């Protein structure tokens, strides 16, 4: 039987940060188990490559929600990274931490030590900000965040449109205030994707106390006397067991971390019994409190050839893009899942922005189907603080069976109202002088579609989908229902912590990658403290 001090399950945003920092202590032997393969596919490193990898048959888990009642019974695709770097290797690269109020709210919910002032030093420590360090940003950290190399006339027109409507200009969405319009920063280093594995894990694999095992599908935790003492995993057809002398940290994400816990007998007792799994500890909230950001994408036919569509649909255009990226690391191949953006308040009761807009200089009915044959662009509307709550449930006791995902989008009236008001604001942005001059005709919703609340809500229900930020299924807190405490230890189970998006009490107002890296950094310090 193999032996190590700490096993980290998952090499995603939190797992890579955790393992990299933890292995700085030569006394701690760290083993990372990653279900996916190494990141050898070249599209994993080109920024625009997420369009090729997000629904890849082996690089993504390719989850689907169950039929969503409020989305007219649609099942929503949920891609998650199944590769070295996890979802940080296939995401849209945008770096948004969320609002200071998000983390202060965690403290108000009882998570002492997780206010913004507590988390900011870890955000700064993790970061190598291209613009240099300041009160909000770090310099010299493992994760490079940089400005877009290619910005373009259309994304600038979106910023101008927001300014025309009276929104402030914001040159730093991760600075003193999130509200306003500006350019996104991205996790890109020297023109290539800087995943969490690229930042934290791969540079440190030469350390004798750090080991990475890829293609390692975790089956269950070994629990003896109420304490986790090992991990059973499978490589191909071979089942292996690794013994841990200190602890296991689940960093498998908001879907797979609760799945592993439930497969191991840690979760809602009745559900485990229904699955034929022996209950090790009844933890009712495992898999509960699921939250995700919903997005609705409005698309427009462009009046000028200034979008990515016409370039992708031309062999000459494709060749020029490749040459441009090879020579300058710029051009369309350097694009993230959004170029410019806007954070705004659309509900009267919101004290801080409640919607996020991504401007995307191309259009497509889906990533799988490719870009439209006509010049087009997209405005994405995303609600930042959904009230709707879903759950993760096992489909069977088979570790290879995909779990059931019930997102339960739009089950809150506030969520419906927020999305409708967000779409209304998108329409107003499109009708400005700055952006309207680039529009030949609306594509989705089409010209002549209703503009009343009922019609807009129906559009959202028929066309919206995930923006890839599931959280909160192993919620942190000091209350009786919380799954982990404020040092991320699973309550009532020795030798087990969870460090990923699943511990977030509430989803942050932005992209979750940055917050997960911060969580991994903090967890490493918690473990080192008891070394």
């Amino acid at each position: 039987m193999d032996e190590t001090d700490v096993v980290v399950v998952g090499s995603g945003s939190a797992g890579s940060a955790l393992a990299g920092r933890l292995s700085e202590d030569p006394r701690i032997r760290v083993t990372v188990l990653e279900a996916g393969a190494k990141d050898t596919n070249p599209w994993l490193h080109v920024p625009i490559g997420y369009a090729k990898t997000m629904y890849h048959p082996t690089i993504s888990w390719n989850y689907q929600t169950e039929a969503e009642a409020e989305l007219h019974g649609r099942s929503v695709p949920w891609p998650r990274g199944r590769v070295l770097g996890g979802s940080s290797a296939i995401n849209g690269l945008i770096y948004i931490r969320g609002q200071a109020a998000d983390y202060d709210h965690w403290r108000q919910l009882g998570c002492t030590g997780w206010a913004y002032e507590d988390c900011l030093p870890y955000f700064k420590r993790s970061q190598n900000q291209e613009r240099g360090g300041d009160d909000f940003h770090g310099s010299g950290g493992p994760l490079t965040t940089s400005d877009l190399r290619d910005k373009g006339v259309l994304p600038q027109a979106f910023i101008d449109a927001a300014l025309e409507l009276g929104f402030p200009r914001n040159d730093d969405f991760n600075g003193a205030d999130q509200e306003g319009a500006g350019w996104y920063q991205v996790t890109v280093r020297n023109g290539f994707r800087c995943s969490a594995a690229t930042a934290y894990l791969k540079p440190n694999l030469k350390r004798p106390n750090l080991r990475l095992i890829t293609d390692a599908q975790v089956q269950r935790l070994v629990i003896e006397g109420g304490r986790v003492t090992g991990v059973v995993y499978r490589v191909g057809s071979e089942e292996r067991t690794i013994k841990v002398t200190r602890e296991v940290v689940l960093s498998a994400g908001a879907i797979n971390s609760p799945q592993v816990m439930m497969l191991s007998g840690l979760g809602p007792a009745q559900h485990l019994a229904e699955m034929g799994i022996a209950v090790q500890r009844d933890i009712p909230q495992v898999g509960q409190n699921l939250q995700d950001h919903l997005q609705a994408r409005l698309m427009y036919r462009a009046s000028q050839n200034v979008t990515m569509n016409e370039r992708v649909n031309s062999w000459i255009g494709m060749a020029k893009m490749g040459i441009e990226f090879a020579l300058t690391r710029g051009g369309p191949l350097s694009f993230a899942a959004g170029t410019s953006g806007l954070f705004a308040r659309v509900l009267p009761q919101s004290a801080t922005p409640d919607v996020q807009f991504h401007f995307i200089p191309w259009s497509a009915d889906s990533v799988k189907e490719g870009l439209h044959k006509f010049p087009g662009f997209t405005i994405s509307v995303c609600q930042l603080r959904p009230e709707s709550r879903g759950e993760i449930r096992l489909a069977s006791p088979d570790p290879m069976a995909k779990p059931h995902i019930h997102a339960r989008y739009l089950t809150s009236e506030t969520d419906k109202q927020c999305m409708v008001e967000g779409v209304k604001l998108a329409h107003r942005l499109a009708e400005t002088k700055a952006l309207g001059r680039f529009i030949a005709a609306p594509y989705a919703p089409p010209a002549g579609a209703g503009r009343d609340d009922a019609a807009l809500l129906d559009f959202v229900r028929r066309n919206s989908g995930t923006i890839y930020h599931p959280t909160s299924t192993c919620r942190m807190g000091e209350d009786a229902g919380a799954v982990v405490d404020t040092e991320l230890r699973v309550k009532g189970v020795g030798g087990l912590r969870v460090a990923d998006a699943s511990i977030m009490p509430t989803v942050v107002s932005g992209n979750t990658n940055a917050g997960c890296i911060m969580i991994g950094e903090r967890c490493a310090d918690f473990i080192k403290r008891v070394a």
Side-chain angles (χ1 to χ4, degrees):
M1 185 183 295
D2 196 3
E3 182 181 283
T4 191
D5 295 322
V6 176
V7 167
V8 178
V9 178
S11 68
S13 300
S16 285
L18 165 61
R21 289 300 192 190
L22 201 56
S23 65
E24 292 173 346
D25 187 336
R27 300 171 299 167
I28 304 175
R29 297 171 297 167
V30 182
T31 299
V32 179
L33 300 178
E34 168 54 51
K38 293 182 179 178
D39 56 347
T40 54
N41 187 312
W43 284 112
L44 291 167
H45 306 287
V46 177
I48 198 63
Y50 68 87
K52 298 282 190 179
T53 60
M54 191 172 288
Y55 295 97
H56 191 280
T58 61
I59 291 173
S60 173
W61 286 100
N62 290 306
Y63 291 124
Q64 295 266 148
T65 70
E66 300 302 299
E68 292 290 323
E70 292 291 337
L71 302 186
H72 292 312
R74 291 188 296 120
S75 174
V76 179
W78 270 28
R80 308 303 300 161
R82 190 178 186 269
V83 66
L84 183 61
S87 294
S88 77
I90 69 167
N91 68 9
L93 299 102
I94 296 173
Y95 182 82
I96 297 289
R97 298 169 180 171
Q99 301 165 9
D102 297 331
Y103 301 96
D104 290 343
H105 181 56
W106 290 5
R107 178 181 58 187
Q108 292 167 358
L109 292 174
C111 298
T112 304
W114 288 85
Y116 182 66
E117 64 181 10
D118 303 308
C119 297
L120 180 59
Y122 290 91
F123 282 123
K124 293 176 67 174
R125 188 173 82 171
S126 71
Q127 189 180 24
N128 181 29
Q129 163 67 278
E130 181 182 69
R131 304 175 191 171
D134 58 26
D135 289 345
F136 298 97
H137 299 283
S139 178
L143 182 74
T144 299
T145 58
S146 59
D147 295 323
L148 294 170
R149 295 195 174 208
D150 194 302
K151 295 183 175 179
V153 62
L154 267 178
Q156 180 61 59
F158 177 80
I159 294 175
D160 294 340
L163 301 183
E164 187 177 323
L165 292 182
F167 292 99
R169 177 65 186 258
N170 191 335
D171 292 320
D172 184 4
F173 292 133
N174 298 295
D177 190 11
Q178 189 187 65
E179 192 162 15
W183 298 99
Y184 284 119
Q185 277 209 316
V186 291
T187 50
V188 169
R189 178 192 296 163
N190 298 324
F192 293 99
R193 175 188 292 272
C194 184
S195 71
T198 297
Y200 285 91
L201 200 56
K202 291 163 66 175
N204 298 315
L205 288 174
K206 60 184 178 293
R207 292 173 179 164
N209 64 327
L210 178 59
R211 177 175 51 160
L212 169 67
I213 304 175
T214 54
D215 299 299
Q217 176 70 52
V218 169
Q219 307 292 289
R220 64 187 180 278
L221 305 174
V222 179
I223 303 173
E224 299 174 313
R227 183 176 183 83
V228 175
T229 60
V231 179
V232 178
Y233 65 98
R234 184 177 293 275
V235 177
S237 60
E238 180 187 1
E239 188 170 278
R240 305 176 184 177
T241 300
I242 183 168
K243 182 179 180 180
V244 294
T245 63
R246 296 184 56 177
E247 55 187 289
V248 171
V249 185
L250 296 178
S251 295
I255 300 170
N256 297 104
S257 284
Q259 180 190 28
V260 170
M261 289 185 68
M262 289 188 283
L263 289 169
S264 307
L266 305 173
Q270 182 177 345
H271 176 59
L272 299 182
E274 291 169 353
M275 292 291 108
I277 297 172
V279 178
Q280 297 287 339
R281 184 169 182 83
D282 180 17
I283 311 178
Q285 291 294 302
V286 170
Q288 297 297 300
N289 308 299
L290 175 63
Q291 300 163 45
D292 185 39
H293 287 145
L294 186 69
Q295 68 164 335
R297 296 180 303 121
L298 288 78
M299 291 178 280
Y300 300 86
R301 291 178 179 265
S303 59
Q304 303 176 36
N305 290 331
V306 288
T307 79
M308 192 171 171
N309 291 15
E310 57 268 26
R311 301 186 68 174
V312 166
N313 288 307
S314 159
W315 285 108
I316 295 175
M318 291 282 284
K320 287 182 177 179
M321 286 192 297
I323 293 170
E324 187 175 5
F325 185 76
L327 295 178
T328 69
R329 297 292 179 262
L333 294 185
S334 70
F335 284 172
T339 48
S340 55
L342 168 67
F343 288 88
R345 288 173 284 169
V346 297
L347 296 180
Q349 65 267 33
S350 295
T352 59
D354 49 25
V355 290
Q356 177 182 5
F357 291 82
H358 297 75
F359 184 85
I360 307 165
W362 64 87
S363 63
D365 290 328
S366 75
V367 174
K368 296 179 183 179
E369 296 177 39
L371 303 190
H372 289 140
K373 301 301 182 183
F374 54 82
F377 63 87
T378 304
I379 301 175
S380 167
V381 184
C382 165
Q383 183 193 8
L384 290 174
R385 289 184 297 280
E387 294 180 355
S388 301
R389 298 291 183 266
E391 65 178 358
I392 303 291
R393 281 288 182 261
L394 296 178
S396 86
D398 179 3
M400 300 307 295
K402 293 182 178 181
H404 289 157
I405 300 170
H406 302 271
R408 301 202 176 101
Y409 293 118
L410 299 180
T411 50
S412 160
E413 289 301 317
T414 299
D415 295 357
K416 296 173 185 176
Q417 181 186 6
C418 190
M419 288 299 295
V420 165
E421 294 301 321
V423 172
K424 288 179 182 178
L425 177 52
H427 282 313
R428 294 199 298 274
L429 288 162
E431 291 163 358
T432 59
K433 183 182 297 184
L435 192 56
R437 65 191 180 96
F438 291 102
I439 296 175
Y443 176 80
R451 291 289 188 94
D452 60 277
D453 287 6
L456 296 181
L457 180 58
D458 186 65
F459 168 75
V460 171
R461 284 173 160 157
R462 293 184 184 280
N463 297 278
S464 59
T466 179
I467 207 165
Y468 321 114
H469 301 153
T471 69
S472 309
T473 49
C474 296
R475 178 178 63 84
M476 171 176 59
E478 290 300 333
D479 59 287
V483 176
V484 301
D485 66 16
T486 53
E487 293 197 0
L488 310 185
R489 296 168 295 203
V490 175
K491 295 182 178 183
V493 182
L496 181 63
R497 298 186 203 238
V498 181
D500 55 31
S502 68
I503 67 95
M504 294 182 176
T506 52
V507 64
V508 294
S509 304
N511 305 67
T512 49
N513 173 48
C516 288
I517 287 173
M518 177 273 293
I519 289 167
E521 288 254 11
R522 297 208 66 181
C523 188
D525 275 5
F526 294 147
I527 295 173
K528 286 179 180 179
R529 197 176 299 158
V530 295

